[in-house]
Amino acid sequence: MNFVQVLNKKKQGLELTTEEINYFATEYAKGTIPDYQASALLMAICIKGLNEREILDLTQAYVSTGDKYMLENVKGYKVDKHSTGGVGDKTSLVYGPICASYGLKVCKMSGRGLAQTGGTIDKLETFPGMTTELSDKAFQDVINKTNMSIIQQTSNIVLADKKIYALRDVTGTVDSIGLITASIMSKKLVLNNDGLVIDCKVGKGAFMKDLKEAKELSNYMIKIGKMAGRDIAIMLTNMNTPLGKAIGNAIEVKEAYDTLLGNGPDDLNELCATAAAISLVQGGIFKDFKTAEKDVLTKLKNGDFVKPFKEFVEAQGGDFSVIENYDKNFTTKNKIEIKADKDGFIEYIDANEMGLLAMELGAGRKTKEDTLDLAAGIYLEKQTGDAVKKGDVLFTLYSNKVIDYKSEISDKLFTINKTKPNSKIILDILQ
Ligand code: URA
């Protein structure tokens, strides 16, 4: 196939054939299409889009580039939750232990950070010794032991997405509905789960900036999920402002741990309880959502869910004590406090700007080769809607780099205003 002709077709906005889409995914996975040609096609797709048939074809083509995990030895209702990507999003680390403690089997594959957003696999590397590269058998063994496991994509699982995801991250080609649908759903379909909850983020820090785009993405994901026999629900959630108070890697794991101990911020508690309640109803543990959510929130506040988190981390070889002794293990050379210059309410904290700032501090990658500073990040002492007084610390930056914070901190990061804004976390639930 002449790949330059394929590039030219998409550049003109023409529909690609199933054969052309298969060729792109399989040959790029094999390494026969160079990065520069793949990047050109990805950019053309971002600009011209993919139609429904092309998205389905791309999803199936991705799936065909690796093995499937049939999970035949895992008995019980198997669930998974995935986020389309957000800033401060440590939901999986809270959702997983909640579902596991009710007896659901959490069988999850996660990704690394992408653009301004963080990734669960990077966060889990906070635990020394933790391995997320598990064979099919080891994955099932961990689930059978602790009701929960999280793995990463190895080269034999959806290889095309693994390689294209990394390329999109550094070529400005993430925010395409078609590419996001294929990337997420291919990773969901290779695991033979029963129930699936997708947290579709909407707003400044998300890839979908408004509800219309988010609903379009959600509808494609629902269609593909149902075609594959999954009980699928999509939560549309607010990502104008970061989720919770911590942004980074170890700092987010610490916040997830604190949340499981019963000391989480309200927005994170609500989002995790909603996601878990959906799965618990899907799995038949509760008959209705409201009862499930109430039970989860009560137990979450009591700190009842921390044990399954520890068991899961230890079953995958991680040293859990690092997070129990966070202050000793995650220090940075530089710590800068940013203070309020007037009284008022936090009108908004811009999730996108905060994600980019966290990346500058060392918590995210700018090139494929970058290594992360696990201790780098941001802690928001105040969240959207909080009252502040002049001189209060708004947020603290942690980094091992020298931070030229005056040039990094701009008016775009946050605003303080006289009136308390209305902000809700769950915008809608689609099924
Ligand atoms: N998460 C994914 O797995 N893929 C995307 O493209 C975006 C978010």
Short mmCIF file of all heavy atoms in Angstrom, two decimals, residues 82-86 109-112 114 117 153 161 165 168 173-176 179-185 187-188 207, ligand 1:
data_model
loop_
_atom_site.label_atom_id
_atom_site.label_comp_id
_atom_site.label_asym_id
_atom_site.label_seq_id
_atom_site.Cartn_x
_atom_site.Cartn_y
_atom_site.Cartn_z
N HIS A 82 -12.57 3.52 33.63
CA HIS A 82 -11.50 4.19 32.89
C HIS A 82 -11.85 5.67 32.77
O HIS A 82 -13.00 6.04 32.61
CB HIS A 82 -11.39 3.58 31.49
CG HIS A 82 -10.12 3.93 30.79
ND1 HIS A 82 -9.00 3.13 30.85
CD2 HIS A 82 -9.77 4.99 30.02
CE1 HIS A 82 -8.02 3.68 30.15
NE2 HIS A 82 -8.47 4.81 29.64
N SER A 83 -10.82 6.49 32.85
CA SER A 83 -11.04 7.92 32.70
C SER A 83 -10.51 8.36 31.34
O SER A 83 -9.50 7.84 30.87
CB SER A 83 -10.29 8.64 33.82
OG SER A 83 -10.03 9.97 33.46
N THR A 84 -11.18 9.34 30.74
CA THR A 84 -10.68 9.85 29.46
C THR A 84 -9.48 10.78 29.69
O THR A 84 -8.91 11.28 28.74
CB THR A 84 -11.78 10.60 28.67
OG1 THR A 84 -12.28 11.66 29.50
CG2 THR A 84 -12.92 9.69 28.30
N GLY A 85 -9.13 11.03 30.93
CA GLY A 85 -7.91 11.79 31.21
C GLY A 85 -8.19 13.12 31.87
O GLY A 85 -8.94 13.95 31.35
N GLY A 86 -7.61 13.30 33.07
CA GLY A 86 -7.84 14.56 33.77
C GLY A 86 -6.65 14.94 34.62
O GLY A 86 -5.65 14.21 34.70
N MET A 109 -6.82 -2.33 33.15
CA MET A 109 -5.58 -1.96 32.45
C MET A 109 -5.54 -0.44 32.37
O MET A 109 -6.50 0.20 31.95
CB MET A 109 -5.55 -2.55 31.06
CG MET A 109 -4.29 -2.21 30.33
SD MET A 109 -3.92 -3.36 29.03
CE MET A 109 -5.45 -3.49 28.19
N SER A 110 -4.43 0.14 32.79
CA SER A 110 -4.33 1.60 32.81
C SER A 110 -3.17 2.08 31.95
O SER A 110 -2.31 1.29 31.54
CB SER A 110 -4.10 2.08 34.24
OG SER A 110 -5.27 1.90 34.99
N GLY A 111 -3.15 3.41 31.77
CA GLY A 111 -2.10 3.99 30.93
C GLY A 111 -1.20 4.93 31.72
O GLY A 111 -1.35 5.10 32.94
N ARG A 112 -0.27 5.52 30.99
CA ARG A 112 0.63 6.51 31.59
C ARG A 112 0.06 7.91 31.34
O ARG A 112 -0.93 8.05 30.65
CB ARG A 112 2.02 6.37 30.98
CG ARG A 112 2.67 5.04 31.33
CD ARG A 112 4.15 5.04 31.06
NE ARG A 112 4.73 3.76 31.46
CZ ARG A 112 5.15 3.47 32.69
NH1 ARG A 112 5.07 4.36 33.65
NH2 ARG A 112 5.66 2.28 32.96
N LEU A 114 -0.63 11.49 29.83
CA LEU A 114 -0.77 11.91 28.44
C LEU A 114 -0.99 13.42 28.45
O LEU A 114 -1.90 13.90 29.14
CB LEU A 114 -1.99 11.20 27.85
CG LEU A 114 -2.25 11.24 26.36
CD1 LEU A 114 -1.12 10.57 25.58
CD2 LEU A 114 -3.56 10.52 26.02
N THR A 117 -2.45 15.52 31.36
CA THR A 117 -3.14 14.63 32.30
C THR A 117 -2.20 13.57 32.86
O THR A 117 -1.24 13.17 32.21
CB THR A 117 -4.33 13.92 31.62
OG1 THR A 117 -3.82 12.96 30.69
CG2 THR A 117 -5.23 14.90 30.90
N GLN A 153 -0.19 -1.79 29.62
CA GLN A 153 -0.12 -2.42 28.32
C GLN A 153 1.31 -2.89 28.09
O GLN A 153 2.21 -2.06 28.02
CB GLN A 153 -0.38 -1.37 27.25
CG GLN A 153 -1.77 -1.26 26.80
CD GLN A 153 -1.91 0.00 25.97
OE1 GLN A 153 -1.83 1.10 26.47
NE2 GLN A 153 -2.11 -0.17 24.69
N ASP A 161 -2.04 0.69 19.96
CA ASP A 161 -2.41 1.82 20.83
C ASP A 161 -1.24 2.23 21.71
O ASP A 161 -1.00 3.42 21.91
CB ASP A 161 -3.63 1.47 21.71
CG ASP A 161 -3.90 2.63 22.68
OD1 ASP A 161 -4.21 3.73 22.20
OD2 ASP A 161 -3.74 2.44 23.89
N TYR A 165 -0.27 5.94 21.24
CA TYR A 165 -0.55 6.77 22.44
C TYR A 165 0.69 7.60 22.78
O TYR A 165 0.62 8.81 22.99
CB TYR A 165 -0.89 5.79 23.56
CG TYR A 165 -1.42 6.33 24.87
CD1 TYR A 165 -2.79 6.41 25.10
CD2 TYR A 165 -0.58 6.67 25.92
CE1 TYR A 165 -3.30 6.83 26.33
CE2 TYR A 165 -1.08 7.09 27.14
CZ TYR A 165 -2.43 7.17 27.34
OH TYR A 165 -2.94 7.58 28.55
N ARG A 168 1.20 10.24 20.08
CA ARG A 168 0.21 11.33 20.16
C ARG A 168 0.58 12.31 21.27
O ARG A 168 0.40 13.52 21.13
CB ARG A 168 -1.20 10.76 20.44
CG ARG A 168 -1.83 10.10 19.22
CD ARG A 168 -3.04 9.27 19.63
NE ARG A 168 -4.08 10.04 20.26
CZ ARG A 168 -4.87 9.57 21.23
NH1 ARG A 168 -4.75 8.34 21.68
NH2 ARG A 168 -5.80 10.35 21.75
N THR A 173 -1.45 15.46 19.13
CA THR A 173 -2.54 14.78 18.42
C THR A 173 -3.39 13.92 19.38
O THR A 173 -3.81 12.83 19.03
CB THR A 173 -1.97 13.90 17.27
OG1 THR A 173 -0.96 13.03 17.81
CG2 THR A 173 -1.38 14.74 16.17
N VAL A 174 -3.59 14.45 20.57
CA VAL A 174 -4.39 13.70 21.55
C VAL A 174 -5.88 13.99 21.38
O VAL A 174 -6.72 13.09 21.40
CB VAL A 174 -3.94 14.03 22.99
CG1 VAL A 174 -4.87 13.40 24.00
CG2 VAL A 174 -2.51 13.55 23.23
N ASP A 175 -6.22 15.26 21.19
CA ASP A 175 -7.63 15.66 21.32
C ASP A 175 -8.47 15.41 20.07
O ASP A 175 -9.00 16.32 19.45
CB ASP A 175 -7.73 17.12 21.76
CG ASP A 175 -6.98 18.05 20.82
OD1 ASP A 175 -6.20 17.55 19.99
OD2 ASP A 175 -7.19 19.27 20.91
N SER A 176 -8.58 14.14 19.70
CA SER A 176 -9.44 13.76 18.59
C SER A 176 -10.43 12.73 19.12
O SER A 176 -10.04 11.73 19.75
CB SER A 176 -8.58 13.13 17.48
OG SER A 176 -9.26 12.06 16.86
N LEU A 179 -9.71 9.19 17.76
CA LEU A 179 -8.50 8.57 18.31
C LEU A 179 -8.68 8.20 19.77
O LEU A 179 -8.21 7.16 20.23
CB LEU A 179 -7.29 9.50 18.13
CG LEU A 179 -6.85 9.79 16.69
CD1 LEU A 179 -5.70 10.78 16.66
CD2 LEU A 179 -6.46 8.49 15.97
N ILE A 180 -9.36 9.05 20.53
CA ILE A 180 -9.57 8.75 21.95
C ILE A 180 -10.49 7.53 22.10
O ILE A 180 -10.23 6.63 22.89
CB ILE A 180 -10.14 9.98 22.72
CG1 ILE A 180 -9.11 11.12 22.72
CG2 ILE A 180 -10.51 9.61 24.15
CD1 ILE A 180 -9.59 12.41 23.37
N THR A 181 -11.57 7.50 21.30
CA THR A 181 -12.50 6.36 21.39
C THR A 181 -11.76 5.06 21.12
O THR A 181 -11.85 4.09 21.89
CB THR A 181 -13.65 6.50 20.35
OG1 THR A 181 -14.27 7.75 20.50
CG2 THR A 181 -14.68 5.40 20.52
N ALA A 182 -11.01 5.01 20.01
CA ALA A 182 -10.32 3.76 19.65
C ALA A 182 -9.29 3.39 20.71
O ALA A 182 -9.16 2.21 21.09
CB ALA A 182 -9.65 3.91 18.29
N SER A 183 -8.58 4.38 21.22
CA SER A 183 -7.54 4.12 22.21
C SER A 183 -8.15 3.54 23.49
O SER A 183 -7.69 2.51 24.01
CB SER A 183 -6.81 5.44 22.50
OG SER A 183 -6.00 5.32 23.63
N ILE A 184 -9.19 4.19 24.00
CA ILE A 184 -9.78 3.71 25.25
C ILE A 184 -10.50 2.37 25.04
O ILE A 184 -10.27 1.41 25.77
CB ILE A 184 -10.77 4.75 25.83
CG1 ILE A 184 -9.98 5.98 26.28
CG2 ILE A 184 -11.58 4.17 26.99
CD1 ILE A 184 -10.81 7.09 26.88
N MET A 185 -11.36 2.32 24.03
CA MET A 185 -12.20 1.12 23.91
C MET A 185 -11.40 -0.12 23.52
O MET A 185 -11.73 -1.22 23.93
CB MET A 185 -13.36 1.38 22.93
CG MET A 185 -14.36 2.40 23.45
SD MET A 185 -14.91 2.13 25.17
CE MET A 185 -15.93 0.67 25.02
N LYS A 187 -8.48 -0.85 24.61
CA LYS A 187 -7.89 -1.35 25.87
C LYS A 187 -8.96 -1.98 26.77
O LYS A 187 -8.68 -2.84 27.58
CB LYS A 187 -7.20 -0.20 26.63
CG LYS A 187 -5.91 0.23 25.96
CD LYS A 187 -5.08 1.10 26.87
CE LYS A 187 -5.62 2.50 27.03
NZ LYS A 187 -5.21 3.46 26.02
N LYS A 188 -10.19 -1.51 26.63
CA LYS A 188 -11.27 -2.08 27.44
C LYS A 188 -11.71 -3.43 26.85
O LYS A 188 -12.08 -4.33 27.59
CB LYS A 188 -12.48 -1.12 27.50
CG LYS A 188 -12.16 0.24 28.11
CD LYS A 188 -11.69 0.16 29.53
CE LYS A 188 -10.21 0.32 29.68
NZ LYS A 188 -9.70 0.17 31.05
N PHE A 207 -9.62 16.52 27.56
CA PHE A 207 -9.47 16.59 26.10
C PHE A 207 -10.79 17.08 25.47
O PHE A 207 -10.78 17.69 24.42
CB PHE A 207 -9.04 15.24 25.54
CG PHE A 207 -7.72 14.79 26.13
CD1 PHE A 207 -7.58 13.58 26.76
CD2 PHE A 207 -6.62 15.64 26.08
CE1 PHE A 207 -6.37 13.20 27.33
CE2 PHE A 207 -5.41 15.27 26.65
CZ PHE A 207 -5.28 14.05 27.27
N1 URA B 1 -6.99 7.70 27.62
C1 URA B 1 -6.62 6.76 26.74
O1 URA B 1 -6.43 5.60 27.08
N2 URA B 1 -6.48 7.14 25.47
C2 URA B 1 -6.69 8.40 25.04
O2 URA B 1 -6.56 8.65 23.86
C3 URA B 1 -7.06 9.37 25.97
C4 URA B 1 -7.20 9.00 27.27
#
